[in-house]
Amino acid sequence: MAKKNRKTRAEKEKAKLRNQNRNNIDESKNNKKNEQEEINIVREIIGFVLYVAFLLLAVWFIITFVGQRTVVDGESMYDTLDDGDNLWINKFIYRFKDPERYDIVVFPMFEGTDEETYYIKRIIGLPGEKIRIDDDGVIYVNDVPLEEEYGYETIEPGMIGRADENVVLGKDEYFVMGDNRNASEDSRFELVGNLPRKRLIGKAVLRMWPLSKFGKIDK
């Protein structure tokens, strides 16, 4: 009888050890599972932070080098553009090609300042050209009348500005004008004058608002 009891106790000890080992294994598995979950959470957090950082970097790159949104303020480009129109400006385009006649461009009001006021006008004259406006408001480029399919009004004599005589553009200068000629401060006047290429921020390529006019800005 005593022998049987000893055997029973031994079996109980073995069973107890097996249970402890099983518990230790389960605990180890749970610990590893928890550690893996923590690692996964950390990875997800790091991935999210990197994703947000990438988006911010992409937005910064686009705004700084590729393009930006701008809002038309005033009627100087009427009736091509209206007051309040939201435009997308391509800031990348002039890194690879020269500005062209009739491009609608954006440039700062004052060069070399932190002033955040910009002009938006249309390129009329290109580097090296001679610009003149006669008393009837006709624009001449190298003594040839400019062909136009825009322009809200004929230029009044008082709005001809300095272009009543020949204005000769330098090798990197442009002559710009608003389409609403009698309500535009542009290269006809000393405040703007001949526009150096380095002041051109970019070309207006897309009207984003109002939605009824959404689309590419044609020349």
Side-chain angles (χ1 to χ4, degrees):
M1 191 71 178
K3 188 174 182 180
K4 184 176 181 181
N5 289 337
R6 284 198 298 272
K7 183 178 180 182
T8 302
R9 285 196 296 271
E11 290 175 350
K12 288 182 178 180
E13 289 295 332
K14 288 181 179 179
K16 184 178 180 180
L17 288 174
R18 283 197 299 271
N19 289 334
Q20 288 179 346
N21 290 334
R22 191 178 297 112
N23 290 336
N24 289 336
I25 292 172
D26 291 342
E27 184 178 355
S28 177
K29 288 181 178 180
N30 289 333
N31 289 337
K32 288 182 179 179
K33 183 179 180 182
N34 292 336
E35 289 176 359
Q36 188 62 45
E37 288 178 351
E38 291 177 357
I39 291 173
N40 290 339
I41 291 174
V42 171
R43 286 177 177 173
E44 289 180 4
I45 293 174
I46 293 175
F48 178 75
V49 171
L50 291 176
Y51 176 73
V52 172
F54 173 78
L55 287 180
L56 292 175
L57 181 61
V59 170
W60 173 83
F61 179 82
I62 291 172
I63 293 176
T64 304
F65 298 105
V66 179
Q68 70 180 50
R69 184 184 67 88
T70 191
V71 179
V72 177
D73 182 13
E75 302 291 341
S76 70
M77 285 298 294
Y78 182 80
D79 59 353
T80 304
L81 302 174
D82 293 317
D83 183 40
D85 282 356
N86 280 239
L87 311 178
W88 180 253
I89 307 302
N90 186 335
K91 299 171 65 176
F92 207 53
I93 188 169
Y94 293 144
R95 295 177 182 269
F96 298 99
K97 59 176 293 187
D98 292 331
E100 298 178 353
R101 196 184 325 276
Y102 308 123
D103 283 357
I104 296 176
V105 296
V106 171
F107 56 95
M109 179 179 290
F110 301 109
E111 183 178 6
T113 70
D114 294 329
E115 174 67 48
E116 295 185 355
T117 300
Y118 299 92
Y119 281 157
I120 181 165
K121 307 293 179 185
R122 188 185 296 274
I123 291 178
I124 299 299
L126 302 176
E129 293 183 335
K130 180 174 64 176
I131 307 298
R132 179 174 62 86
I133 302 175
D134 67 16
D135 291 338
D136 295 324
V138 178
I139 302 170
Y140 291 84
V141 178
N142 292 337
D143 297 322
V144 177
L146 179 69
E147 295 183 5
E148 298 184 285
E149 296 180 355
Y150 53 85
Y152 179 57
E153 293 178 310
T154 300
I155 304 172
E156 297 175 356
M159 295 299 294
I160 292 175
R162 67 192 183 102
D164 55 347
E165 298 180 359
N166 292 328
V167 174
V168 180
L169 300 171
K171 63 179 181 179
D172 69 339
E173 293 181 336
Y174 295 82
F175 193 93
V176 298
M177 297 178 66
D179 288 357
N180 189 2
R181 301 289 164 72
N182 296 319
S184 174
E185 292 186 56
D186 47 44
S187 290
R188 292 171 291 165
F189 307 99
E190 294 295 341
L191 179 64
V192 177
N194 300 348
L195 192 66
R197 177 170 177 167
K198 64 181 181 180
R199 287 181 62 190
L200 298 180
I201 292 177
K203 175 184 175 182
V205 295
L206 180 70
R207 182 175 2 223
M208 300 186 296
W209 186 266
L211 292 178
S212 60
K213 296 181 179 180
F214 180 88
K216 181 181 177 182
I217 298 175
D218 295 321
K219 293 181 180 180

